Each structure stands twice: as structure tokens, then as C-alpha cells.
């Protein structure tokens, strides 16, 4: 399935079956003996209802949870192995509806395999094999229009994908078009985090 980002850079909102997202998030909680406080941000980022997620996970939390998927991946990837955790997170995309994939964090499925930003670089993985496409993780910064790079200076919102890809080439990214369409929108979306009322 192709990404919802086509000609211009944007951040999308996924259409999902909210109950299915929560069900899968609860399975992930059990699989990795994860803290419900780590799981709630992931569930809401992928589209679960925050009030229902609080109830099911039994947590009292409110406010913004910043970088919930990155935090989960760093914490549990270190403990259980990145690829094992990534394979489970990618399954959360299966509950997205519609004809395209909406990237929600530092990981997104590709036609074959997936693309992921780990704490130490960007990788494309398929069938147990991962290859590096950037030697360092990308850092994006908040901007009123969404997010931006400082070096090279570029506000990403509504930029042509070719312009974003050119900036990524300057950052030594090997697959700039894939990163611009599949990874970067999720990094920007996650930068602002999710709100739990």
C-alpha cells in the first residue's frame, strides 16, 4: 500500500478501527511486559480513543505525551531487540482504513518490509535483513506550520517532496524519497505528541 503523502509534504491523520488498535496495543503490552504508561501513547498515536485506552489500561494520565512511539521503541527495543519490537509496531498499521498508509511515528510499512528510525540511525528492513539508509537519526524541530530542519534550514509543511528529498540528500540519507514520504511525516506528527484528556 502506498503512503498518503504524494506530491507535497504533509502530516495526515489515520482512519482506523479504534477498538482494533486498542486490542493490538494491549497484546503488545502483554508481549513485552510493557508499562501501561508507555503503551497508552502508542495506542493513541495509532488512533485509539484516549478515554477508552485509559480505562482499559487502568492509567490515570492526562496531557501531552511527546514522542510516544520513539520512546517505546528505544526502551523496549533495547530490552527485547529492535526488530522484534518493530515487527509488532508495524502490525498496528494493519488496522488503518483507506487506500493509503498514514505514517504516525518513526516506523512505517513499505511495499516490502518497513522503514524505521532507531536511536542510532535509519534502516529499511525486510525479511530479517536490515540495511542502513542514514548513519544518524533525523532531528526535526517544532514550527507553527508543523516541523522543520535547522540544517539545512527548511520548513517542511507543504514543500514539494523533491525539495524535502534534496534536503535529506544533504543530510547523507541514501533513500531520500522514501524517507520524505514514509518516515518524515511520522517523525513530525510524533514530535507534537498525542493529547490525552
Amino acid at each position: 500500500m502506498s503512503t498518503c503523502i504524494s506530491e507535497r509534504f504533509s502530516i495526515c491523520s489515520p482512519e482506523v478501527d479504534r477498538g482494533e488498535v486498542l486490542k493490538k496495543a494491549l497484546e503488545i503490552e502483554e508481549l513485552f511486559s510493557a508499562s501501561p504508561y508507555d503503551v497508552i501513547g502508542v495506542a493513541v498515536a495509532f488512533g485509539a480513543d484516549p478515554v477508552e485506552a485509559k480505562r482499559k489500561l487502568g492509567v490515570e494520565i492526562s496531557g501531552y505525551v511527546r514522542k510516544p512511539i520513539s520512546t517505546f521503541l528505544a526502551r523496549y527495543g533495547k530490552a527485547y531487540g529492535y526488530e522484534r519490537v518493530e515487527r509488532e509496531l508495524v502490525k498496528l498499521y494493519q488496522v488503518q482504513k483507506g487506500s493509503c498508509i498514514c505514517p504516525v511515528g518513526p516506523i512505517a510499512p513499505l511495499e516490502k518490509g518497513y522503514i524505521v528510525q532507531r536511536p542510532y540511525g535509519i534502516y529499511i528492513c525486510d525479511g530479517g535483513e536490515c540495511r542502513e539508509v542514514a548513519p544518524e537519526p533525523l532531528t526535526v524541530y517544532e514550527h507553527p506550520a508543523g516541523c522543520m530542519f535547522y540544517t539545512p534550514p527548511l520548513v517542511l509543511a507543504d514543500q514539494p517532496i523533491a525539495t524535502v528529498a534534496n534536503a535529506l540528500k544533504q543530510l547523507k540519507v541514501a533513500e531520500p524519497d522514501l524517507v520524505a514520504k514514509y518516515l518524515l511525516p511520522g517523525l513530525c506528527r510524533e514530535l507534537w505528541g498525542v493529547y490525552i484528556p
Side-chain angles (χ1 to χ4, degrees), residues 140-155:
V140 288
Y141 299 91
E142 288 181 11
H143 182 274
C147 72
M148 66 178 293
F149 289 137
Y150 278 141
T151 311
L154 181 67
V155 176

Side-chain angles (χ1 to χ4, degrees), residues 9-53:
F9 185 87
S10 63
I11 299 171
C12 50
S13 292
E15 291 177 48
V16 295
D17 180 326
R18 293 178 135 200
E20 282 297 310
V21 173
L22 191 51
K23 184 177 160 195
K24 181 63 195 154
L26 290 168
E27 288 171 14
I28 288 173
E29 177 191 28
E30 192 175 319
L31 186 64
F32 298 117
S33 304
S35 162
Y37 288 94
D38 290 335
V39 174
I40 192 166
V42 172
V44 175
F46 273 96
D49 176 62
V51 176
E52 182 65 9

Side-chain angles (χ1 to χ4, degrees), residues 61-130:
I61 183 176
S62 59
Y64 281 94
V65 178
R66 303 241 181 226
K67 297 188 177 184
I69 303 167
S70 293
T71 303
F72 188 92
L73 183 56
R75 185 168 293 153
Y76 296 96
K78 201 172 178 182
Y80 292 92
Y82 282 95
E83 286 174 54
R84 186 174 171 209
V85 176
E86 289 159 6
R87 281 194 300 269
E88 294 304 318
L89 289 173
V90 166
K91 288 178 186 172
L92 283 161
Y93 279 100
Q94 292 169 1
V95 298
Q96 284 194 9
K97 298 176 184 171
S99 59
C100 58
I101 290 291
C102 175
V104 296
I107 186 166
L110 300 171
E111 298 290 332
K112 284 186 171 182
Y114 60 89
I115 187 166
V116 62
Q117 175 163 293
R118 296 176 182 162
Y120 49 83
I122 298 172
Y123 296 83
I124 291 177
C125 300
D126 181 25
E129 296 286 315
C130 293

